Amino acid sequence: ATQHNLKVLDLKDHKITAIPKEVLGAFAHVTVLDLRKNALEELLPEISQMISLEDLLLDQNRLRDLPEQVCSLPNLKSLSVSQNLLKRLPKALASMKGLKNLNVGDNFIEEIPVELGQCKELQTLYLHHNSFTTLPGSMASMENLQELALEWFRYTTPPLPRVIKGSEWQRIITKLRDLCRDKKDGRVTCIEVLSEFSQKAFDANAIDSKRRTRLHVACLEGHVGVALALSETGQRCDTLDCEGYSPLLVAVR
């Protein structure tokens, strides 16, 4: 039977491995579905039956993919799917016109699709700790963006916060939009962002007090996208820090 009165369905931290499609169909009036801290490996296309959903929380699961049907939920305002195993985002993101908050941090996403730029109502966007090395120029359209998480900013000179938020940091988001706008239909690289937001000339081979390069730090922190971007510039992987470790050894130890 359908559950007409229930608005918040809290199923977090229950070691759930699967949600039967019959369950999804029975909660069409639920506005908040919290499935955080479970063991979900798949979200069924029948999620589209939960037409009243406004908040979908899927953090800390084992999801390798998101069904495109998530993008067709007509009232969805917040989608949080951090700390999963995602390698890609559905191109159907373009249809999520009312989405205000998106968190896909701590995954393995290899490319941010150009369709993300169609989510023009986004106010909060968390992209940190993934594997991509470029951003789509279409992000120039995100005029309502107020909060952005991206670990790239930690590698500028001097370092910026990983999470850009608050009125004092809006200039950073505005400048990033302008950089994306200059690319039009192209893509902005990680190195271009580091160069644009560094107050001094960006030097990929600069070392800190422990003789660590940025590549050392990226490998140490597990910032795969930054490490890949620095490697693509030709930065050496065998430079030794004060403890005798190369970036490659730091990455595998």
Side-chain angles (χ1 to χ4, degrees), residues 76-79 96-103 116-127 139 141-149 163-166 169-170 173 177:
L76 198 65
K77 293 180 174 60
S78 295
L79 174 61
M96 303 182 80
K97 307 298 185 184
L99 193 67
K100 295 183 181 298
N101 307 295
L102 177 63
N103 184 351
L116 181 64
Q118 296 298 313
C119 300
K120 298 180 180 180
E121 294 301 315
L122 272 180
Q123 298 175 3
T124 302
L125 177 60
Y126 277 50
L127 297 173
M139 285 181 62
S141 300
M142 294 182 178
E143 297 289 344
N144 292 301
L145 196 61
Q146 300 172 14
E147 188 170 328
L148 173 65
V163 180
I164 304 297
K165 64 179 179 178
W169 294 108
Q170 277 304 298
I173 293 178
R177 277 200 303 265

Side-chain angles (χ1 to χ4, degrees), residues 56 58-59 63 66 79-84 86 103-105 107:
L56 179 56
L58 298 165
D59 312 90
L63 295 172
L66 275 180
L79 174 61
S80 193
V81 63
S82 67
Q83 298 183 56
N84 275 275
L86 300 179
N103 184 351
V104 294
N107 278 284

Side-chain angles (χ1 to χ4, degrees), residues 3 33 46 48 59 62 101 107-108 119 133 140 144 162 168 190 200 203 232 246 250-252:
Q3 308 295 320
L33 177 58
E46 283 76 13
S48 62
D59 312 90
R62 300 173 185 170
N101 307 295
N107 278 284
F108 300 88
C119 300
T133 60
N144 292 301
R162 176 176 67 88
E168 71 273 24
C190 174
K200 301 178 181 178
D203 181 5
E232 289 169 359
S246 68
V250 169
V252 299

Side-chain angles (χ1 to χ4, degrees), residues 108-201:
F108 300 88
I109 298 168
E110 298 172 348
E111 183 174 275
I112 301 300
V114 64
E115 288 80 8
L116 181 64
Q118 296 298 313
C119 300
K120 298 180 180 180
E121 294 301 315
L122 272 180
Q123 298 175 3
T124 302
L125 177 60
Y126 277 50
L127 297 173
H128 59 283
H129 302 167
N130 278 286
S131 303
F132 59 85
T133 60
T134 65
L135 294 173
S138 61
M139 285 181 62
S141 300
M142 294 182 178
E143 297 289 344
N144 292 301
L145 196 61
Q146 300 172 14
E147 188 170 328
L148 173 65
L150 188 61
E151 78 280 7
W152 297 3
F153 294 122
R154 298 297 300 148
Y155 293 82
T156 61
T157 306
L160 291 168
R162 176 176 67 88
V163 180
I164 304 297
K165 64 179 179 178
S167 57
E168 71 273 24
W169 294 108
Q170 277 304 298
R171 58 184 174 81
I172 301 297
I173 293 178
T174 299
K175 190 174 182 179
L176 181 62
R177 277 200 303 265
D178 291 341
L179 185 59
C180 289
R181 190 171 291 111
D182 290 341
K183 290 293 180 176
K184 296 181 180 178
D185 297 326
R187 302 189 75 87
V188 178
T189 69
C190 174
I191 301 302
E192 286 174 328
V193 169
L194 299 185
S195 299
E196 185 70 23
F197 288 92
S198 290
Q199 293 181 14
K200 301 178 181 178

